[in-house]
Amino acid sequence: MSTDSVRTHTPEERNRKIDVRVEHCVQHMAEQMDRPAIGRYLEKLEREWDLNRVVTVAASAVSVLGLVLAAKDGRGWKVVSGVAAGLLLQHGVFGFGPLAELVRLLGVRTRREMDLEKFALKALRGDFERIPHEGGPLARANAALVAAQS
C-alpha cells in the first residue's frame, strides 16, 4: 500500500494490525464466497467513518463545546476552542497531528485503507474481471488485494 502521512506517522505495529485485519477479512470472504454476505459487509464499510471524518467531527465538537462553556462560565474555555481549532488546522495542513494519533490508537482507518478492503471485496464478488476463478481461496484473496491496489 502506498504511504500517506497518517501511515508514515503511525507506528508500524499499529499499521500492521490494521493491514492484518483487512487481509483476514478478505481471506474469510474468499473462503465463504457468499455474495450476499460480501454485499452486506460492503454496505457496512460504506457507513464506517474514516480517520479524517472522526478527527474533524471530534475537533469541531470540542471547539463548539469550548465556546458554549465560555459563554456560560467564561473562565478560560475559549482556550479549549482555540486549541481544538489549532489541532484541526494542523491536521488539515499536514494530514496528521496529535488528534489523528489518538484516533489511530483507537483503530480508526484511513480512507485509503478502507478502500483497499472495499475494492478487494468487490473484486471477490466478481465486480472486476481480473480475478482468476481457478486456485484456492487464498490465491483468489491475494489476487483481489493486488487488483485493488493497482
Short mmCIF file of all heavy atoms in Angstrom, two decimals, residues 105-140:
data_model
loop_
_atom_site.label_atom_id
_atom_site.label_comp_id
_atom_site.label_asym_id
_atom_site.label_seq_id
_atom_site.Cartn_x
_atom_site.Cartn_y
_atom_site.Cartn_z
N LEU A 105 -4.91 5.27 17.45
CA LEU A 105 -4.75 4.29 18.53
C LEU A 105 -6.05 3.54 18.79
O LEU A 105 -6.04 2.41 19.27
CB LEU A 105 -4.28 4.98 19.81
CG LEU A 105 -2.82 5.37 19.84
CD1 LEU A 105 -2.52 6.19 21.09
CD2 LEU A 105 -1.92 4.16 19.76
N LEU A 106 -7.17 4.16 18.48
CA LEU A 106 -8.47 3.52 18.64
C LEU A 106 -8.79 2.58 17.48
O LEU A 106 -9.84 1.93 17.47
CB LEU A 106 -9.57 4.58 18.77
CG LEU A 106 -9.45 5.51 19.98
CD1 LEU A 106 -10.49 6.62 19.89
CD2 LEU A 106 -9.56 4.74 21.27
N GLY A 107 -7.89 2.52 16.49
CA GLY A 107 -8.08 1.60 15.37
C GLY A 107 -8.83 2.18 14.19
O GLY A 107 -9.20 1.44 13.28
N VAL A 108 -9.05 3.48 14.18
CA VAL A 108 -9.76 4.10 13.07
C VAL A 108 -8.83 4.12 11.85
O VAL A 108 -7.65 4.44 11.95
CB VAL A 108 -10.22 5.53 13.43
CG1 VAL A 108 -10.92 6.19 12.25
CG2 VAL A 108 -11.15 5.49 14.63
N ARG A 109 -9.39 3.75 10.70
CA ARG A 109 -8.61 3.60 9.48
C ARG A 109 -8.71 4.82 8.58
O ARG A 109 -9.66 5.59 8.66
CB ARG A 109 -9.09 2.37 8.70
CG ARG A 109 -8.99 1.11 9.51
CD ARG A 109 -9.34 -0.10 8.72
NE ARG A 109 -10.77 -0.19 8.42
CZ ARG A 109 -11.28 -1.07 7.59
NH1 ARG A 109 -10.52 -1.92 6.94
NH2 ARG A 109 -12.57 -1.12 7.38
N THR A 110 -7.73 4.93 7.70
CA THR A 110 -7.77 5.98 6.68
C THR A 110 -8.72 5.55 5.57
O THR A 110 -9.05 4.37 5.42
CB THR A 110 -6.37 6.23 6.08
OG1 THR A 110 -5.95 5.06 5.37
CG2 THR A 110 -5.35 6.60 7.14
N ARG A 111 -9.13 6.49 4.77
CA ARG A 111 -10.00 6.19 3.62
C ARG A 111 -9.29 5.22 2.68
O ARG A 111 -9.90 4.30 2.15
CB ARG A 111 -10.37 7.50 2.91
CG ARG A 111 -11.11 7.33 1.59
CD ARG A 111 -12.40 6.57 1.66
NE ARG A 111 -13.27 6.99 2.74
CZ ARG A 111 -14.28 6.26 3.20
NH1 ARG A 111 -14.55 5.08 2.67
NH2 ARG A 111 -15.03 6.68 4.19
N ARG A 112 -8.00 5.40 2.47
CA ARG A 112 -7.24 4.53 1.58
C ARG A 112 -7.27 3.08 2.07
O ARG A 112 -7.44 2.15 1.29
CB ARG A 112 -5.81 5.02 1.44
CG ARG A 112 -4.98 4.18 0.49
CD ARG A 112 -3.61 4.75 0.29
NE ARG A 112 -3.74 5.95 -0.54
CZ ARG A 112 -2.88 6.96 -0.53
NH1 ARG A 112 -1.84 6.93 0.24
NH2 ARG A 112 -3.07 8.00 -1.32
N GLU A 113 -7.11 2.89 3.38
CA GLU A 113 -7.14 1.54 3.95
C GLU A 113 -8.52 0.91 3.80
O GLU A 113 -8.66 -0.27 3.48
CB GLU A 113 -6.74 1.58 5.42
CG GLU A 113 -5.28 1.92 5.63
CD GLU A 113 -4.94 2.33 7.04
OE1 GLU A 113 -5.84 2.76 7.79
OE2 GLU A 113 -3.75 2.24 7.39
N MET A 114 -9.55 1.71 4.01
CA MET A 114 -10.92 1.22 3.86
C MET A 114 -11.21 0.88 2.40
O MET A 114 -11.85 -0.14 2.10
CB MET A 114 -11.91 2.26 4.39
CG MET A 114 -11.79 2.46 5.88
SD MET A 114 -12.60 3.95 6.49
CE MET A 114 -14.28 3.69 6.00
N ASP A 115 -10.72 1.71 1.49
CA ASP A 115 -10.95 1.46 0.07
C ASP A 115 -10.24 0.20 -0.40
O ASP A 115 -10.76 -0.52 -1.26
CB ASP A 115 -10.50 2.66 -0.77
CG ASP A 115 -11.48 3.82 -0.70
OD1 ASP A 115 -12.62 3.62 -0.23
OD2 ASP A 115 -11.10 4.93 -1.11
N LEU A 116 -9.06 -0.07 0.13
CA LEU A 116 -8.35 -1.30 -0.23
C LEU A 116 -9.23 -2.51 0.07
O LEU A 116 -9.42 -3.38 -0.78
CB LEU A 116 -7.03 -1.42 0.52
CG LEU A 116 -6.31 -2.76 0.40
CD1 LEU A 116 -5.88 -3.01 -1.04
CD2 LEU A 116 -5.14 -2.83 1.35
N GLU A 117 -9.78 -2.55 1.28
CA GLU A 117 -10.65 -3.66 1.65
C GLU A 117 -11.90 -3.70 0.77
O GLU A 117 -12.30 -4.75 0.29
CB GLU A 117 -11.04 -3.55 3.13
CG GLU A 117 -11.88 -4.69 3.63
CD GLU A 117 -12.16 -4.62 5.11
OE1 GLU A 117 -12.08 -3.51 5.70
OE2 GLU A 117 -12.48 -5.66 5.69
N LYS A 118 -12.48 -2.54 0.55
CA LYS A 118 -13.71 -2.47 -0.24
C LYS A 118 -13.50 -2.98 -1.66
O LYS A 118 -14.28 -3.79 -2.16
CB LYS A 118 -14.20 -1.02 -0.26
CG LYS A 118 -15.49 -0.82 -1.01
CD LYS A 118 -16.07 0.57 -0.83
CE LYS A 118 -15.23 1.62 -1.46
NZ LYS A 118 -15.82 2.96 -1.43
N PHE A 119 -12.42 -2.55 -2.31
CA PHE A 119 -12.20 -2.96 -3.69
C PHE A 119 -11.76 -4.41 -3.78
O PHE A 119 -12.09 -5.09 -4.76
CB PHE A 119 -11.23 -2.01 -4.39
CG PHE A 119 -11.85 -0.66 -4.65
CD1 PHE A 119 -11.34 0.47 -4.03
CD2 PHE A 119 -12.96 -0.54 -5.46
CE1 PHE A 119 -11.93 1.70 -4.24
CE2 PHE A 119 -13.55 0.69 -5.67
CZ PHE A 119 -13.03 1.82 -5.06
N ALA A 120 -11.04 -4.90 -2.79
CA ALA A 120 -10.70 -6.33 -2.78
C ALA A 120 -11.97 -7.17 -2.68
O ALA A 120 -12.11 -8.18 -3.37
CB ALA A 120 -9.75 -6.63 -1.63
N LEU A 121 -12.90 -6.75 -1.83
CA LEU A 121 -14.15 -7.49 -1.69
C LEU A 121 -15.01 -7.40 -2.94
O LEU A 121 -15.65 -8.37 -3.34
CB LEU A 121 -14.92 -6.99 -0.46
CG LEU A 121 -14.27 -7.32 0.88
CD1 LEU A 121 -15.01 -6.63 2.02
CD2 LEU A 121 -14.19 -8.82 1.10
N LYS A 122 -15.02 -6.24 -3.58
CA LYS A 122 -15.76 -6.10 -4.83
C LYS A 122 -15.17 -7.01 -5.90
O LYS A 122 -15.91 -7.60 -6.70
CB LYS A 122 -15.76 -4.65 -5.30
CG LYS A 122 -16.68 -3.76 -4.50
CD LYS A 122 -16.69 -2.36 -5.06
CE LYS A 122 -17.72 -1.52 -4.33
NZ LYS A 122 -17.89 -0.21 -4.97
N ALA A 123 -13.85 -7.11 -5.90
CA ALA A 123 -13.21 -8.00 -6.87
C ALA A 123 -13.60 -9.45 -6.60
O ALA A 123 -13.89 -10.19 -7.54
CB ALA A 123 -11.69 -7.82 -6.80
N LEU A 124 -13.61 -9.84 -5.34
CA LEU A 124 -14.02 -11.21 -5.00
C LEU A 124 -15.46 -11.48 -5.42
O LEU A 124 -15.79 -12.57 -5.87
CB LEU A 124 -13.91 -11.43 -3.48
CG LEU A 124 -12.56 -11.77 -2.93
CD1 LEU A 124 -12.63 -11.87 -1.41
CD2 LEU A 124 -12.05 -13.08 -3.51
N ARG A 125 -16.29 -10.48 -5.24
CA ARG A 125 -17.70 -10.63 -5.57
C ARG A 125 -17.91 -10.76 -7.07
O ARG A 125 -18.95 -11.19 -7.53
CB ARG A 125 -18.47 -9.43 -5.00
CG ARG A 125 -19.96 -9.54 -5.09
CD ARG A 125 -20.65 -8.43 -4.38
NE ARG A 125 -20.36 -7.14 -4.99
CZ ARG A 125 -20.88 -5.98 -4.57
NH1 ARG A 125 -21.67 -5.96 -3.53
NH2 ARG A 125 -20.57 -4.86 -5.16
N GLY A 126 -16.88 -10.39 -7.83
CA GLY A 126 -16.98 -10.50 -9.28
C GLY A 126 -17.20 -9.19 -9.98
O GLY A 126 -17.50 -9.16 -11.18
N ASP A 127 -17.03 -8.10 -9.26
CA ASP A 127 -17.23 -6.78 -9.87
C ASP A 127 -16.13 -6.45 -10.88
O ASP A 127 -16.31 -5.59 -11.72
CB ASP A 127 -17.28 -5.69 -8.80
CG ASP A 127 -18.49 -5.82 -7.90
OD1 ASP A 127 -19.24 -6.81 -8.01
OD2 ASP A 127 -18.71 -4.93 -7.06
N PHE A 128 -15.00 -7.11 -10.79
CA PHE A 128 -13.88 -6.89 -11.70
C PHE A 128 -13.58 -8.21 -12.39
O PHE A 128 -13.75 -9.28 -11.83
CB PHE A 128 -12.64 -6.41 -10.95
CG PHE A 128 -12.90 -5.23 -10.05
CD1 PHE A 128 -12.74 -5.36 -8.68
CD2 PHE A 128 -13.31 -4.02 -10.55
CE1 PHE A 128 -12.98 -4.28 -7.83
CE2 PHE A 128 -13.55 -2.94 -9.73
CZ PHE A 128 -13.39 -3.07 -8.36
N GLU A 129 -13.08 -8.16 -13.60
CA GLU A 129 -12.86 -9.38 -14.37
C GLU A 129 -11.44 -9.93 -14.22
O GLU A 129 -11.16 -11.01 -14.72
CB GLU A 129 -13.14 -9.12 -15.85
CG GLU A 129 -14.60 -8.79 -16.09
CD GLU A 129 -14.86 -8.52 -17.55
OE1 GLU A 129 -13.94 -8.66 -18.37
OE2 GLU A 129 -15.98 -8.14 -17.86
N ARG A 130 -10.56 -9.23 -13.53
CA ARG A 130 -9.16 -9.64 -13.47
C ARG A 130 -8.87 -10.73 -12.43
O ARG A 130 -7.75 -11.18 -12.33
CB ARG A 130 -8.29 -8.42 -13.15
CG ARG A 130 -8.31 -7.41 -14.27
CD ARG A 130 -7.54 -6.17 -13.99
NE ARG A 130 -6.49 -6.31 -12.98
CZ ARG A 130 -5.68 -5.34 -12.64
NH1 ARG A 130 -5.78 -4.18 -13.21
NH2 ARG A 130 -4.77 -5.53 -11.71
N ILE A 131 -9.85 -11.16 -11.69
CA ILE A 131 -9.61 -12.15 -10.65
C ILE A 131 -9.80 -13.55 -11.22
O ILE A 131 -10.86 -13.87 -11.76
CB ILE A 131 -10.58 -11.94 -9.46
CG1 ILE A 131 -10.51 -10.50 -8.96
CG2 ILE A 131 -10.30 -12.93 -8.34
CD1 ILE A 131 -9.13 -10.05 -8.56
N PRO A 132 -8.78 -14.41 -11.11
CA PRO A 132 -8.91 -15.77 -11.65
C PRO A 132 -9.92 -16.57 -10.84
O PRO A 132 -10.06 -16.39 -9.64
CB PRO A 132 -7.50 -16.35 -11.50
CG PRO A 132 -6.89 -15.57 -10.39
CD PRO A 132 -7.49 -14.20 -10.47
N HIS A 133 -10.62 -17.45 -11.52
CA HIS A 133 -11.59 -18.30 -10.84
C HIS A 133 -10.98 -19.63 -10.40
O HIS A 133 -11.56 -20.33 -9.59
CB HIS A 133 -12.81 -18.54 -11.73
CG HIS A 133 -13.56 -17.29 -12.01
ND1 HIS A 133 -14.34 -16.67 -11.07
CD2 HIS A 133 -13.63 -16.52 -13.12
CE1 HIS A 133 -14.87 -15.57 -11.59
NE2 HIS A 133 -14.45 -15.46 -12.83
N GLU A 134 -9.82 -19.94 -10.94
CA GLU A 134 -9.15 -21.17 -10.52
C GLU A 134 -8.24 -20.85 -9.33
O GLU A 134 -7.95 -19.71 -9.05
CB GLU A 134 -8.35 -21.79 -11.66
CG GLU A 134 -7.28 -20.91 -12.27
CD GLU A 134 -7.80 -19.95 -13.32
OE1 GLU A 134 -8.93 -20.12 -13.82
OE2 GLU A 134 -7.08 -19.00 -13.64
N GLY A 135 -7.81 -21.87 -8.64
CA GLY A 135 -6.98 -21.68 -7.46
C GLY A 135 -7.84 -21.66 -6.21
O GLY A 135 -9.06 -21.55 -6.28
N GLY A 136 -7.21 -21.75 -5.08
CA GLY A 136 -7.93 -21.79 -3.82
C GLY A 136 -8.32 -20.40 -3.33
O GLY A 136 -8.02 -19.39 -3.97
N PRO A 137 -8.98 -20.36 -2.20
CA PRO A 137 -9.43 -19.09 -1.63
C PRO A 137 -8.29 -18.11 -1.36
O PRO A 137 -8.43 -16.91 -1.59
CB PRO A 137 -10.11 -19.48 -0.32
CG PRO A 137 -10.44 -20.91 -0.46
CD PRO A 137 -9.44 -21.49 -1.41
N LEU A 138 -7.15 -18.62 -0.91
CA LEU A 138 -6.02 -17.75 -0.62
C LEU A 138 -5.50 -17.09 -1.90
O LEU A 138 -5.21 -15.89 -1.92
CB LEU A 138 -4.91 -18.53 0.07
CG LEU A 138 -3.69 -17.71 0.50
CD1 LEU A 138 -4.10 -16.59 1.45
CD2 LEU A 138 -2.67 -18.62 1.18
N ALA A 139 -5.43 -17.85 -2.99
CA ALA A 139 -4.98 -17.31 -4.27
C ALA A 139 -5.95 -16.24 -4.76
O ALA A 139 -5.53 -15.19 -5.25
CB ALA A 139 -4.84 -18.42 -5.31
N ARG A 140 -7.26 -16.50 -4.62
CA ARG A 140 -8.26 -15.50 -5.03
C ARG A 140 -8.19 -14.26 -4.16
O ARG A 140 -8.30 -13.13 -4.64
CB ARG A 140 -9.66 -16.11 -4.98
CG ARG A 140 -9.92 -17.13 -6.09
CD ARG A 140 -11.39 -17.48 -6.25
NE ARG A 140 -12.07 -17.81 -5.00
CZ ARG A 140 -12.10 -19.02 -4.43
NH1 ARG A 140 -11.49 -20.02 -5.00
NH2 ARG A 140 -12.77 -19.22 -3.31
#
